Every structure is written in structure tokens, then in C-alpha cells.
Amino acid sequence: MRVLVLTDLHANWAALEAVLEDAEGKYEQIICCGDLVGYNPDPEPVIEWVRSHCASVIRGNHDKVVAGIEGLDWFNDVAQAAALWTRARLSEDQLAYLRSLPQGPVTLEHFQIWHGSPRDEDEYVTNPREAAPCFAFVQMPLAFFGHTHLQGAFFSKYRRIGTVPPVPGNSDEAVIQLDPDTVFMVNPGSVGQPRDGDSRAAYAIFDSEQNYVALRRTEYPVQRTADRICRAGLPDVLAQRLLAGI
Ligand code: ZN
């Protein structure tokens, strides 16, 4: 089975559309590691698409705040403004859907998913030092997560921790071959607001038969989303961030 793994879509419909076109329907299932909304101008179509297409979805910190499960206090001014803007646009039904999303980790047939870390959905795992203690909580040889918007992977083999870098700028794919002696925590990277210096939308495909994960990047009309951020009355800095991929 091939699984399309998405995370941190952040209401960027153009980026999601480009990812789906790039993946060419070559998957049997779609899963989402949270943060459907926040930052960008298309929360309604992204929520509706995720709701009708994803086999498994967990919540992210932005979903929690927009849905009112958690207060705005931990967000910076820009994230707060975007969360309030988003909340005002969504229907009661869409807010109820966000409220209904489960907290990770969730264990699926071939892997686990969570948003931040396996012990705390709001924790950022950005480097091997932060990743190392997480492996004690991983219950399967493969897991997918998000939250940092940084594409790549951490792995543990015979208690040694290693990293897999994101797809290089001159390529659109990097393949991680899985092996039975190694536990992998893979971050597909953010569909809707990449922060690893590459503005291309990021995602992953897992193939359970060939036993690999393909990290992928694809161009999308980022300027168009940036213009729409400004026109929508969202903070301009969000447009600049999107264009720079930071
Ligand atoms: Zn996020």
C-alpha cells in the first residue's frame, strides 16, 4: 500500500492542490499529522478536503487554538491574529470538526502519527538531541510527525541517533530506505508553510511493500498565496515568510 502523508497544511489551498497534482494519485490512503488551519487564507476548503479524503487525522496546536480547546496565550502576535481571523471565518460545523480531532500519537497499521513529539503534541523536535529521548516512546519502527515545518527524519539504530536531511534544492525527491533494525521518525515537511529555507510545498509518500519513504518537494504559485494573505487582512509578515520558506 502507498500512503500520502501530509502535515501542517495551514490553510494553503494552492500548495495542497500542487501536492495532489505532483503525487498523481499514486497512493491508496491519505493521512494528516495536524495543523489544517492557521497562517494562510483558505481554511474552509482545506478543512473540507481533509475531512472527506483523509483516512486518519490528528490535531495540531493551531487546530486546538482555532477550535477554542486551548487559549491564545502561547501564540505570538502574528499567530494570534491569524487564529482569530480563521476562527471568525469557520462555520460552527467546521469548528466542531476541528474540536473532534484526536490527539496523537495514533497507532495505524504500519506506523504511528503525532503532531509534535510522542510525549507531548506541542513539543518541537528539531534536532538529534531533542529526538533522542522520543525513541523510548515510539511503539513501531516508523512514525510520522510535523509541527516544526522542517522536512527530514531522525532514526535510531543500535541506540545511535542519525538524521536524514530535507530534499535538496536541485531535486524533488529523497528516498529513505527503511530497514528492520532501525526506527524512523519522519517529518514530511509542511505543505502550507515550509520553514527549511525552501518555499516549495513538502510531503511524503510511504510504500509499505517496497518499504521506503519518499520525501518530496513541489513548486506551487507561492506569490499568489502571498498576495491573497495581504488582501485578506492577515499579517503581511506571513506573506514574506511564505515567499522565503522560513
Ligand atoms: Zn504547524
Side-chain angles (χ1 to χ4, degrees):
M1 181 166 71
R2 282 164 63 97
V3 184
L4 175 64
V5 189
L6 308 177
T7 186
D8 298 281
L9 291 80
H10 284 295
N12 190 339
W13 178 252
L16 175 58
E17 262 189 337
V19 162
L20 297 174
E21 194 171 311
D22 190 65
E24 297 179 319
K26 292 178 186 161
Y27 46 82
E28 287 79 53
Q29 198 178 67
I30 310 171
I31 68 119
C32 173
C33 300
D35 274 359
L36 285 60
V37 297
Y39 297 133
N40 293 310
D42 312 303
E44 305 101 313
V46 170
I47 288 175
E48 293 305 329
W49 182 87
V50 167
R51 168 142 79 166
S52 52
H53 290 86
C54 292
S56 187
V57 186
I58 51 170
R59 69 189 189 188
N61 52 320
H62 287 258
D63 306 320
K64 275 195 296 187
V65 169
V66 168
I69 292 171
E70 205 164 83
L72 291 159
D73 319 353
W74 293 99
F75 272 10
N76 62 35
D77 291 351
V78 169
Q80 283 193 16
L84 291 171
W85 181 95
T86 303
R87 190 186 291 165
R89 289 181 72 97
L90 297 182
S91 67
E92 194 39 57
D93 180 52
Q94 288 164 332
L95 290 169
Y97 172 70
L98 291 182
R99 270 194 293 274
S100 77
L101 294 176
Q103 177 181 351
V106 166
T107 301
L108 302 170
E109 188 184 350
H110 297 287
F111 51 81
Q112 292 187 287
I113 58 173
W114 61 76
H115 187 64
S117 94
R119 51 186 184 177
D120 178 352
E121 60 184 340
D122 296 335
E123 185 183 18
Y124 290 90
V125 180
T126 58
N127 57 48
R129 190 178 44 80
E130 290 165 354
C134 296
F135 285 99
F137 298 85
V138 186
Q139 290 161 359
M140 293 182 83
L142 177 62
F144 291 98
F145 70 105
H147 196 38
T148 62
H149 301 204
L150 303 173
Q151 187 180 55
F154 301 103
F155 60 87
S156 171
K157 184 168 189 171
Y158 311 129
R159 300 198 164 186
R160 194 179 68 83
I161 307 297
T163 60
V164 177
V167 175
N170 60 359
S171 174
D172 58 7
E173 183 170 279
V175 172
I176 304 169
Q177 192 62 52
L178 306 175
D179 88 80
D181 296 325
T182 310
V183 178
F184 282 92
M185 302 194 308
V186 178
N187 189 330
S190 172
V191 172
Q193 196 202 60
R195 292 180 192 163
D196 43 17
D198 184 343
S199 63
R200 295 177 297 169
Y203 70 101
I205 296 268
F206 164 61
D207 188 318
S208 66
E209 269 132 56
Q210 310 284 329
N211 212 27
Y212 70 82
V213 174
L215 300 174
R216 292 196 55 86
R217 296 307 271 251
T218 188
E219 303 270 2
Y220 75 98
V222 56
Q223 183 68 55
R224 204 187 307 163
T225 300
D227 291 345
R228 292 185 50 244
I229 286 172
C230 300
R231 281 205 302 275
L234 285 159
D236 286 1
V237 65
L238 290 171
Q240 291 152 22
R241 215 176 159 171
L242 210 58
L243 289 165
I246 54 172

